[in-house]
Amino acid sequence: MSKPNPAPERIILGIDPGTTIMGYGVIRCRGKNDVELVEMGALHLSKYKDHALKLKKIFDRVTGLIESHAPDDLAVEAPFFGQNVQSMLKLGRAQGVALAAALAHEIPVAEYAPRRVKQAVTGSGAASKEQVAGMVQRTLSIPQGDMPKDLDATDGLAVALCHHFQLATPRMQRGGGGWKAFLAENPDRVRS
């Protein structure tokens, strides 16, 4: 009897864009349930007054993360629709710069609405940043002493986890492919 092939490794970079603080997280996944923390952090941008310089710093950090970890995918949280049009515009630019860094390295990108990220990680689309951080901590077994002060870092990890969960969901549940495609892609799940 031959050993089953180990699940392929996948590295996902998650970005919570912002022009004051950009959170990011990198995870390594092997199969559906084997997920580990690689890196997390937050880029503080409030000390820069020039918006164009902030965008350059975002591009540089995302590029550095890509070059350090060679992610298979970049997942980014989409800007939410708020009252302040200027804030939305700036947030959209920050997201666009992160996407451009990934696309310049030919890395596939995925975008998730904030409610979708919260739903995927906590089960509730209305979860607080603290609830998201708590679930990220439990899911990735992060010791309390290693938890960041900035919840933007755990938000970046939540975006990466959301993407992982999306990829781990059979295609037929995502609205395409059907049973035939699922069975072809998952022969180990079929019992005679």
Side-chain angles (χ1 to χ4, degrees), residues 8 32 41 66 68 74 79 90 92 113 121 125 129 169 175 180 187:
K32 184 174 182 177
I66 289 168
S68 294
L74 178 129
K90 288 178 180 178
V121 173
K129 284 173 109 40
T169 302
K180 188 173 182 180

Side-chain angles (χ1 to χ4, degrees), residues 15-24 41-62 90-91 93-95 97-98 150 152:
I15 301 289
D16 178 28
T19 55
T20 303
I21 302 174
M22 179 195 80
Y24 59 87
L43 174 63
H44 293 266
L45 299 158
S46 58
K47 60 187 168 194
Y48 305 107
K49 300 303 172 208
D50 180 31
H51 185 67
L53 181 58
K54 290 181 180 188
L55 295 176
K56 181 185 181 324
K57 295 291 183 185
I58 292 168
F59 184 85
D60 290 346
R61 176 60 59 92
V62 174
K90 288 178 180 178
L91 193 58
R93 288 177 181 163
Q95 179 198 31
V97 167
D150 292 312
D152 300 274

Side-chain angles (χ1 to χ4, degrees), residues 89-153:
L89 179 62
K90 288 178 180 178
L91 193 58
R93 288 177 181 163
Q95 179 198 31
V97 167
L99 293 174
L103 294 171
H105 288 83
E106 298 183 3
I107 296 170
V109 298
E111 179 180 25
Y112 297 97
R115 288 185 66 82
R116 175 70 184 103
V117 172
K118 292 174 184 180
Q119 175 74 36
V121 173
T122 70
S124 170
S128 68
K129 284 173 109 40
E130 292 79 12
Q131 289 170 317
V132 170
M135 284 305 294
V136 165
Q137 180 182 14
R138 285 189 283 288
T139 302
L140 296 173
S141 302
I142 302 170
Q144 184 61 40
D146 292 344
M147 286 298 287
K149 291 178 184 170
D150 292 312
L151 296 180
D152 300 274

